[in-house]
Amino acid sequence: MLGAGRMRLGTFGILLVLLHTSAACEFGSSPYSVTGIVCRMTKPAALLLNQETAQVIQAAFRNAKFPNITGERSMRLLGKVVYGLTNIQVNDLSIEQSEVELKEDDAIHIAIKNVTAVFKGTLTYGYAGVWLLQLFHSVDFEIKSSINLQTNIKLMCQKDQVAADASDCYLTFHKLTLHLEGDKEPGWLKQLFTDFISFTLKIVFKSEVCNEINFLAQMLADFVQDLAANFVQDEDIKIDISLASVPLIKANYLESHHKGLVMYKNYSDVFSDSIFSPPLLTESRMLYFWLSEHIFNSLASAAFLDKRLVLTIKGEKLQALFEMEGTEAQRKAAQMIFQGTSYNDSVAKVWSLSHPQISLQPEGTVVKSLVAAEVSIFPAGEEPQTVLYMEKEITVIIQAAYAEKKLILHSQESRIEFKVFNCTADASGNDPSIRNFLKTMISLVGIPEVISRIEQALTSLMNNKGLNLFEIHNPEIITRKGYVIVQLDFSFPNHLLLDFLEKKI
């Protein structure tokens, strides 16, 4: 029957985007306590996604492979009427209206109204009479259909991952008529075939289309889940986005909760003190992400263990760092440090001595880190020398924004406290000019340079994961005590799903 071709209807899984939910998994008595990431998609986003899926439905119909359909019926006194439909293809598909409704604490209800499609192929029919009279013919046929479709997508959990159940599905046929080539007004025999075939197609279409909806819903749920898992992974560092609690399906939004545990080699992340509660998020924007402070601290630990918090500066970058505009005393201090060696023959290395401590506050993200910095020179014909080594505790407040497909980080204020200070130009450590120069240089140039490098690296990472494919409108990154909220409106990159379906169909 039709199932052999896997007819794929795209719209019935799209609303699972960014939603991971559970109805069957076991959770503790306080599931929010282990929630590190929350995603809330409001009804305007669901409506937008539903509207954008018309092309996906059309692509699925165009690529559907329909099997042959056969049937027969015995007629009293006349014998047996048999028929077969082959080479079935779909043309001229159109969708008049698609609606989505969130049924509170139940399911996502999707209604597709007036789906019209023209099916074309070849009809072979025959009449075997009781007097051994046999008639068999082959003609091209055209089936015009008009269908309403309704489905309720329930969201369940399998192995802490999302599973979609779209088996609650109904098709209503307003029109299903068959025309034979060269005869738009069939005689009584052809009219008899039309009635038989129409009846058979209604049964077959209802069964197979609904089966495909269910199939595609789960397929797209897996696709979105894999997409999200890939987005929060970079080499050996990744985030566990398995479900942390039962979802909320309300009349105005869908909300899913995830563990958000950082995984890195033998690093073990534990989290059981989340402060999340649904009222922390509103419904005025299309999409919300709630992220716990714990995630940022764990990511900082993993990045430190992976030796990513190391920065090497040389050449023109090093020159720009030390030759900032300043007083004559500051320029003299820089010359004393490098002892006349060219910046091209020098290198500065900056690294974290321990993993940074991150605190989310209303004024921004507070980063506190114990950092070491070392400057080495390579004089011609001489052994390399370390002319400066220092350890300092740096506290900086950073505010983040996202615009023009780039992450933007601004340092609001910083505090620097030297812990260790060794400089060949100031062996006694009593020359305040060098230390003051370095403190000014770190504050005005060094910290912005490090933040700029991080900004570029994170933007590149997010773009490599495909974030730049989305049209994000008016994003806001809001920090509060212990958590951050990212809220935005967006336009959905429909071609991602089209490409996905083209590969799967």
Side-chain angles (χ1 to χ4, degrees):
M1 302 294 282
L2 289 178
R6 286 297 182 195
M7 181 172 57
R8 291 163 168 79
L9 299 175
T11 194
F12 307 99
I14 308 301
L15 291 177
L16 299 173
V17 171
L18 303 173
L19 177 70
H20 300 283
T21 183
S22 169
C25 298
E26 295 293 331
F27 300 111
S29 57
S30 301
Y32 286 168
S33 65
V34 294
T35 294
I37 300 175
V38 177
C39 171
R40 174 177 289 187
M41 184 170 67
T42 60
K43 190 169 183 179
L47 293 172
L48 173 66
L49 294 177
N50 192 55
Q51 294 170 0
E52 293 294 325
T53 55
Q55 293 183 22
V56 178
I57 300 173
Q58 293 170 3
F61 267 96
R62 284 195 302 268
N63 289 279
K65 304 298 182 182
F66 294 92
N68 298 336
I69 299 174
T70 60
E72 63 178 45
R73 184 170 180 177
S74 297
M75 301 296 294
R76 188 175 59 180
L77 301 178
L78 297 178
K80 184 185 295 183
V81 177
V82 296
Y83 59 85
L85 281 72
T86 59
N87 303 320
I88 303 175
Q89 298 178 349
V90 181
N91 293 339
D92 302 326
L93 179 74
S94 66
I95 300 169
E96 180 175 302
Q97 187 177 2
S98 180
E99 298 176 350
V100 61
E101 180 184 358
L102 306 180
K103 293 186 175 181
E104 189 153 339
D105 300 325
D106 184 15
I108 305 169
H109 174 74
I110 299 177
I112 309 294
K113 298 182 179 180
N114 290 338
V115 179
T116 60
V118 176
F119 298 85
K120 294 185 177 182
T122 301
L123 168 65
T124 300
Y125 65 92
Y127 166 69
V130 294
W131 300 287
L132 301 180
L133 176 64
Q134 294 185 351
L135 296 173
F136 289 98
H137 301 277
S138 290
V139 297
D140 291 336
F141 71 85
E142 180 182 271
I143 301 172
K144 293 185 177 180
S145 66
S146 179
I147 307 169
N148 281 3
L149 187 150
Q150 295 182 1
T151 184
N152 293 306
I153 301 177
K154 294 185 180 293
L155 303 167
M156 303 177 296
C157 180
Q158 294 177 352
K159 299 180 180 179
D160 291 334
Q161 304 296 339
V162 69
D165 179 8
S167 59
D168 186 6
C169 171
Y170 304 92
L171 271 68
T172 303
F173 295 87
H174 296 293
K175 180 174 66 174
L176 189 65
T177 57
L178 180 144
H179 300 289
L180 302 182
E181 181 183 14
D183 192 350
K184 297 297 183 179
E185 297 294 335
W188 70 271
L189 186 59
K190 293 179 181 180
Q191 183 63 57
L192 186 65
F193 293 151
T194 300
D195 293 340
F196 290 169
I197 293 170
S198 297
F199 177 77
T200 303
L201 286 177
K202 288 181 180 180
I203 297 175
V204 171
F205 281 3
K206 176 177 173 55
S207 173
E208 297 302 327
V209 169
C210 286
N211 285 341
E212 293 303 324
I213 291 170
N214 200 16
F215 171 80
L216 186 60
Q218 183 56 55
M219 185 175 68
L220 285 174
D222 293 340
F223 165 70
V224 170
Q225 193 157 263
D226 292 343
L227 191 69
N230 177 65
F231 189 83
V232 294
Q233 178 176 358
D234 183 49
E235 297 180 359
D236 291 331
I237 301 176
K238 58 184 178 180
I239 298 177
D240 178 9
I241 58 171
S242 58
L243 301 172
S245 67
V246 177
L248 294 176
I249 301 182
K250 299 298 183 182
N252 294 321
Y253 64 85
L254 308 169
E255 187 170 280
S256 60
H257 316 94
H258 312 268
K259 294 177 182 178
L261 298 176
V262 174
M263 297 179 287
Y264 172 75
K265 295 182 178 179
N266 295 327
Y267 173 77
S268 180
D269 193 12
V270 179
F271 181 47
S272 60
D273 193 26
S274 176
I275 60 174
F276 173 74
S277 64
L280 293 176
L281 301 178
T282 65
E283 302 172 23
S284 60
R285 306 297 297 274
M286 294 173 66
L287 190 62
Y288 295 82
F289 293 100
W290 183 95
L291 304 170
S292 169
E293 177 181 281
H294 176 85
I295 292 177
F296 295 92
N297 273 306
S298 297
L299 285 173
S301 296
F304 171 74
L305 294 173
D306 204 43
K307 303 185 185 305
R308 298 193 184 194
L309 304 183
V310 179
L311 177 63
T312 300
I313 307 172
K314 51 184 158 182
E316 293 181 357
K317 285 286 187 181
L318 186 61
Q319 183 176 2
L321 190 66
F322 278 89
E323 290 191 355
M324 61 178 184
E325 294 184 6
T327 64
E328 181 63 30
Q330 290 173 337
R331 287 189 287 272
K332 183 179 179 180
Q335 294 172 358
M336 291 171 62
I337 293 172
F338 285 91
Q339 301 178 12
T341 303
S342 167
Y343 288 108
N344 290 326
D345 297 322
S346 308
V347 61
K349 179 182 176 182
V350 182
W351 69 98
S352 287
L353 295 169
S354 61
H355 71 83
Q357 298 294 321
I358 297 176
S359 174
L360 297 175
Q361 302 293 335
E363 59 268 25
T365 302
V366 182
V367 182
K368 184 177 182 180
S369 182
L370 183 60
V371 177
E374 182 181 83
V375 175
S376 299
I377 60 175
F378 303 86
E382 300 182 25
E383 291 294 320
Q385 300 178 40
T386 299
V387 295
L388 175 65
Y389 176 83
M390 54 185 173
E391 297 176 5
K392 63 257 184 212
E393 187 176 82
I394 297 178
T395 302
V396 59
I397 299 176
I398 301 173
Q399 289 189 345
Y402 186 83
E404 298 180 352
K405 301 185 184 296
K406 295 180 181 179
L407 180 66
I408 302 169
L409 302 177
H410 295 290
S411 58
Q412 296 300 108
E413 59 179 88
S414 59
R415 185 174 66 253
I416 302 168
E417 181 181 350
F418 288 99
K419 300 294 185 180
V420 176
F421 185 84
N422 296 315
C423 181
T424 55
D426 181 19
S428 65
N430 295 325
D431 188 345
S433 64
I434 293 180
R435 189 172 298 205
N436 289 338
F437 161 72
L438 290 171
K439 191 170 184 178
T440 302
M441 183 269 295
I442 293 168
S443 177
L444 297 182
V445 183
I447 291 176
E449 173 65 20
V450 172
I451 290 176
S452 176
R453 296 286 187 95
I454 295 174
E455 181 182 271
Q456 295 171 17
L458 290 177
T459 296
S460 177
L461 177 61
M462 291 188 296
N463 288 342
N464 287 338
K465 299 297 184 179
L467 184 63
N468 58 329
L469 300 177
F470 291 77
E471 292 299 326
I472 297 176
H473 310 295
N474 303 318
E476 294 181 88
I477 302 174
I478 304 170
T479 54
R480 295 289 184 261
K481 185 173 177 59
Y483 63 90
V484 63
I485 295 174
V486 180
Q487 57 188 39
L488 55 94
D489 300 318
F490 68 95
S491 299
F492 190 74
N494 188 260
H495 62 87
L496 291 181
L497 290 165
L498 288 174
D499 293 344
F500 170 70
L501 288 172
E502 291 292 339
K503 295 176 182 178
K504 292 294 183 180
I505 295 175

